């Protein structure tokens, strides 16, 4: 087991400006993937093609992998003070207010203009609002929610580490997770893949290791974790491409996919080594703040707008106008709902934990 790692409390309150920008760029990549390629290419979700950007936008799904890498960095930063209570509160407050708003907005629009492609029932809506629909076999109201369920498995892993008081040994745990993910590659076990998050584990592991580099410095051990994570991430990114190509009737450039994944690693390494220059010194708080509601809102609502209006309006105007509308709506959700509800929700949950006798416990 590697030497124990200690964290200082003020680390959890430090903002890494570049992360906000990277989040936003990742979300935009997914938006372009859905609007310019995915919606029309499969499942008849959208009636509007956008061929001028389709050849590039088809790679935009990789933005989700960047999200997972960023999550590894940010979640370990959030958990660094060793308090399970603080971690749970931060995740509940971060996830639920915006999700409740976006899930409700999407459901109302499905009722209003979603037929025949999109449908929702009251029971489906209520179960989705718990953010547990995936685990009890209820379809998600919007397909983009799938990545939240992957994220939540990672949160459970971090909670377990905090519960047993081993956050200071997280580097060793990351190494074990990486080894387990590599060993299980030829086994093709659904259960192992599910619990190890083996389809995306390399991105979470790399992101968490980049946080260790950012907070504690570069080391040979961390270099090898990153190197092996990169190799696993490349494998994970190209392994399912045959199914992707079959589903979307498209040919993907393997070299380009590997190149994009490599850019993610190089960029995050620059962030962790604090070598991002003006990007790191600039504040990207607003674009970072609207990323989550933008991601939750854009897919089905955008498709419903396309299906309702196209071809009555020029495709270029409709495409860019819808993106602008999603950005404005995401900002409104953040300002009017997320910010207002998050503060009171945090106080309420904190009081509940205090009433239950769950005191702060900082593990160093």
């Amino acid at each position: 087991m590697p030497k124990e790692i200690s964290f200082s409390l003020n680390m959890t309150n430090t903002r890494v400006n570049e992360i906000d920008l990277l989040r936003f760029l990742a979300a935009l990549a997914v938006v372009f993937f859905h609007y310019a390629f995915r919606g029309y290419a499969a499942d008849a979700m959208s009636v509007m093609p956008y061929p001028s950007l389709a050849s590039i936008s088809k790679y935009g799904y990789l933005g989700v992998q960047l999200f997972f890498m960023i999550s590894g960095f940010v979640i370990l930063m959030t958990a660094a003070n060793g308090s399970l209570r603080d971690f749970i509160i931060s995740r509940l407050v971060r996830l639920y207010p915006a999700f409740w708003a976006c899930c409700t907005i999407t459901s109302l629009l499905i009722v209003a203009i979603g037929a025949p492609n999109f449908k929702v029932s009251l029971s489906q809506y209520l179960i989705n609002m718990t953010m547990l629909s995936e685990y009890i076999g209820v379809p998600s109201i919007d397909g983009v929610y799938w990545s939240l369920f992957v994220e939540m498995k990672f949160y459970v892993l971090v909670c377990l580490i905090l519960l047993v008081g081993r956050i200071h040994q997280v580097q060793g745990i990351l190494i074990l997770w990486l080894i387990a993910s590599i060993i299980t590659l030829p086994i093709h076990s659904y259960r192992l893949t599910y619990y190890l998050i083996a389809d995306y584990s390399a991105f979470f592991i790399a992101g968490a290791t980049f946080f260790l580099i950012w907070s504690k410095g570069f080391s040979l051990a961390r270099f090898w974790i990153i190197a092996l994570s990169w190799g696993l991430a490349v494998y994970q990114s190209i392994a399912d491409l045959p199914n992707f190509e079959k589903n979307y009737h498209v040919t993907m450039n393997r070299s380009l996919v590997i190149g994009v994944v490599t850019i993610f690693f190089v960029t995050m390494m620059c962030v962790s080594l604090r070598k991002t220059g003006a990007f790191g010194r600039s504040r990207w708080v607003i674009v970072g703040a609207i990323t989550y509601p933008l991601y939750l809102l854009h897919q089905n609502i955008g498709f419903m707008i396309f299906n309702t209006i196209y071809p009555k309006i020029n495709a270029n105007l409709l495409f860019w106008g819808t993106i602008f509308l999603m950005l404005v709506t995401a900002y409104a959700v953040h300002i009017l709902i997320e910010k207002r509800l998050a503060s009171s929700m945090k106080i309420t949950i904190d009081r509940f934990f205090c009433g239950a006798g769950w005191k702060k416990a900082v593990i160093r």
Side-chain angles (χ1 to χ4, degrees), residues 189-230:
S189 166
Y190 171 79
R191 286 187 178 275
L192 286 175
T193 299
Y194 182 84
Y195 290 112
L196 288 173
I197 326 177
D199 290 335
Y200 306 102
S201 57
F203 296 96
F204 289 110
I205 294 167
T209 306
F210 282 129
F211 170 73
L212 294 180
I213 294 172
W214 179 87
S215 60
K216 302 302 295 180
F218 189 82
S219 70
L220 184 60
R222 289 163 199 157
F223 166 79
W224 281 112
I225 297 173
I226 295 298
L228 291 174
S229 294
W230 173 82

Side-chain angles (χ1 to χ4, degrees), residues 81-299:
N81 72 348
S83 171
L84 176 59
R85 188 188 76 167
D86 288 354
F87 180 76
I88 291 174
I89 292 174
S90 72
R91 290 303 88 202
L92 292 175
V93 170
R94 178 71 180 102
L95 291 179
Y96 276 97
F99 181 82
W100 288 333
C102 295
C103 185
T104 300
I105 293 169
T106 301
S107 298
L108 290 174
L109 285 174
I110 288 175
V111 172
I113 61 172
N117 292 22
F118 302 93
K119 298 177 182 178
V120 63
S121 66
L122 179 59
S123 61
Q124 182 187 9
Y125 164 73
L126 293 175
I127 293 173
N128 267 251
M129 289 285 277
T130 68
M131 211 181 289
L132 300 174
S133 57
E134 169 77 8
Y135 308 114
I136 53 179
V138 175
S140 295
I141 286 171
D142 195 306
V144 298
Y145 299 170
W146 75 268
S147 62
L148 296 180
F149 306 129
V150 176
E151 289 270 357
M152 289 171 71
K153 287 190 286 184
F154 177 54
Y155 298 165
V156 170
L157 174 61
V158 174
C159 283
L160 291 174
I161 295 172
L162 290 170
L163 184 63
V164 298
R166 289 293 180 266
I167 193 64
H168 57 291
Q169 296 177 322
V170 68
Q171 181 171 299
I173 295 170
L174 292 173
I175 292 172
L176 293 176
W177 187 11
L178 178 59
I179 293 172
S181 297
I182 294 172
I183 290 175
T184 57
L185 286 178
I187 298 177
H188 303 296
S189 166
Y190 171 79
R191 286 187 178 275
L192 286 175
T193 299
Y194 182 84
Y195 290 112
L196 288 173
I197 326 177
D199 290 335
Y200 306 102
S201 57
F203 296 96
F204 289 110
I205 294 167
T209 306
F210 282 129
F211 170 73
L212 294 180
I213 294 172
W214 179 87
S215 60
K216 302 302 295 180
F218 189 82
S219 70
L220 184 60
R222 289 163 199 157
F223 166 79
W224 281 112
I225 297 173
I226 295 298
L228 291 174
S229 294
W230 173 82
L232 180 58
V234 167
Y235 176 86
Q236 290 172 339
S237 298
I238 65 176
D240 199 44
L241 281 183
N243 291 330
F244 185 99
E245 292 172 324
K246 182 179 179 181
N247 186 47
Y248 293 112
H249 311 289
V250 69
T251 300
M252 302 292 285
N253 186 320
R254 268 74 176 160
S255 297
L256 185 54
V257 171
I258 294 171
V260 171
V261 171
T262 303
I263 288 172
F264 293 164
F265 274 75
V266 171
T267 301
M268 288 298 293
M269 179 62 81
C270 290
V271 172
S272 65
L273 294 175
R274 307 171 193 249
K275 300 293 185 181
T276 54
F279 290 104
R281 291 190 297 270
S282 302
R283 291 183 64 82
W284 307 93
V285 177
I286 294 300
V287 296
I290 68 172
T291 294
Y292 182 47
L294 173 65
Y295 181 79
L296 294 174
L297 284 168
H298 79 275
Q299 180 176 270

